[in-house]
Amino acid sequence: MKRKIILCFSALITLLTTIGAQEHLNPEDRAVDMDSPTFVPMVHIGKAKVNGDSVQYVRTNNIYVFPPMEFKDAKQREAYNRLVYNIKKVLPMAKECNQIILETYAYLQTLPTKKERDEHMKRVEHGIKEQYTPRVKKLTYSQGKLLIKLIDRETHSTGYELIQAFLGPIRAGVYQAFAWMFGASLKKRYDPKGSDRLVERIVLQVEAGQL
């Protein structure tokens, strides 16, 4: 878990300090289509034995049903649509970060010595900085703050925990103060049942291919 936290740190710190060819596009470079799903809904077709007979079945994504959104005015509706847009923009990027962490963590387990693991970690850190610095510069401030939240959702680690694991408590305090100046907190957890309830509702629908 600690190595997972360390691997995610570089992407997070780059985000905090820089926010404000068709065959392969980074997720954040793809045009957001508000009328089409961001993720393709999963459909799995298989067979199961039932009383000696082979029965075909189809398994799909979960389907989430929520009460219809009610808006007091056009401004509130616009804010909701903007949140949906931003989530569709940065959620694939947050999932990509988590996948990189998982794959790198698995590879670290194959290295026999601490020296080899440390050297590989340095290469990973350099690669993350090199890859993500130009990418996060393209995000708006709101999208950057949202990405920090969604990385926490995917990795189950707060920004403060990431920095503390990599640079220690003093530097973590410095970056916490930096984030506080911009109205954010690295210690605040993603709260899907509280302050982030609407974000979680949209994320679930986007993941399921409903938005």
Side-chain angles (χ1 to χ4, degrees):
M1 175 58 69
K2 185 173 181 180
R3 288 196 179 97
K4 285 180 63 180
I5 289 174
I6 290 173
L7 288 169
C8 194
F9 162 77
S10 294
L12 176 72
I13 215 60
T14 299
L15 177 64
L16 288 173
T17 56
T18 58
I19 251 170
Q22 186 63 30
E23 289 79 8
H24 176 73
L25 285 176
N26 293 325
E28 67 279 6
D29 290 330
R30 299 187 183 108
V32 173
D33 188 344
M34 296 291 282
D35 297 318
S36 299
T38 297
F39 296 105
V40 177
M42 181 196 75
V43 177
H44 175 79
I45 300 175
K47 290 184 178 181
K49 288 288 186 178
V50 179
N51 297 326
D53 293 327
S54 181
V55 177
Q56 194 170 46
Y57 68 88
V58 176
R59 186 171 72 246
T60 65
N61 291 80
N62 292 332
I63 297 176
Y64 297 94
V65 179
F66 296 101
M69 292 295 302
E70 296 182 0
F71 306 103
K72 296 179 181 178
D73 50 37
K75 185 176 181 180
Q76 194 176 71
R77 179 184 294 275
E78 181 182 345
Y80 170 79
N81 289 337
R82 186 164 57 250
L83 179 59
V84 173
Y85 178 92
N86 287 342
I87 289 174
K88 288 167 74 73
K89 188 82 170 177
V90 303
L91 180 60
M93 192 175 180
K95 290 185 176 296
E96 178 187 300
C97 289
N98 189 48
Q99 186 61 32
I100 291 171
I101 292 169
L102 293 175
E103 290 175 357
T104 305
Y105 180 77
Y107 180 73
L108 284 173
Q109 306 312 302
T110 69
L111 300 178
T113 67
K114 183 179 184 300
K115 181 181 178 181
E116 289 176 298
R117 291 191 290 270
D118 290 343
E119 289 176 351
H120 182 69
M121 288 288 292
K122 290 179 181 178
R123 291 192 294 270
V124 169
E125 180 189 357
H126 175 76
I128 288 176
K129 287 182 177 179
E130 189 175 65
Q131 178 183 4
Y132 280 88
T133 296
R135 294 173 62 180
V136 298
K137 284 182 177 179
K138 299 176 183 178
L139 303 180
T140 67
Y141 180 66
S142 296
Q143 290 168 352
K145 289 182 67 176
L146 182 60
L147 178 58
I148 292 175
K149 282 188 174 185
L150 295 181
I151 287 177
D152 179 21
R153 180 183 186 267
E154 297 297 316
T155 65
H156 308 290
S157 301
T158 67
Y160 189 85
E161 290 170 340
L162 300 176
I163 299 171
Q164 186 178 45
F166 192 75
L167 293 179
I170 295 178
R171 293 289 293 278
V174 171
Y175 282 107
Q176 166 66 3
F178 175 81
W180 179 83
M181 289 185 349
F182 290 90
S185 173
L186 299 181
K187 292 184 179 181
K188 189 175 182 180
R189 298 217 65 101
Y190 180 76
D191 185 7
K193 296 183 179 180
S195 60
D196 298 310
R197 184 170 62 253
L198 180 58
V199 173
E200 181 67 10
R201 166 177 168 159
I202 296 170
V203 167
L204 290 174
Q205 291 179 299
V206 170
E207 288 178 328
Q210 294 175 248
L211 286 175

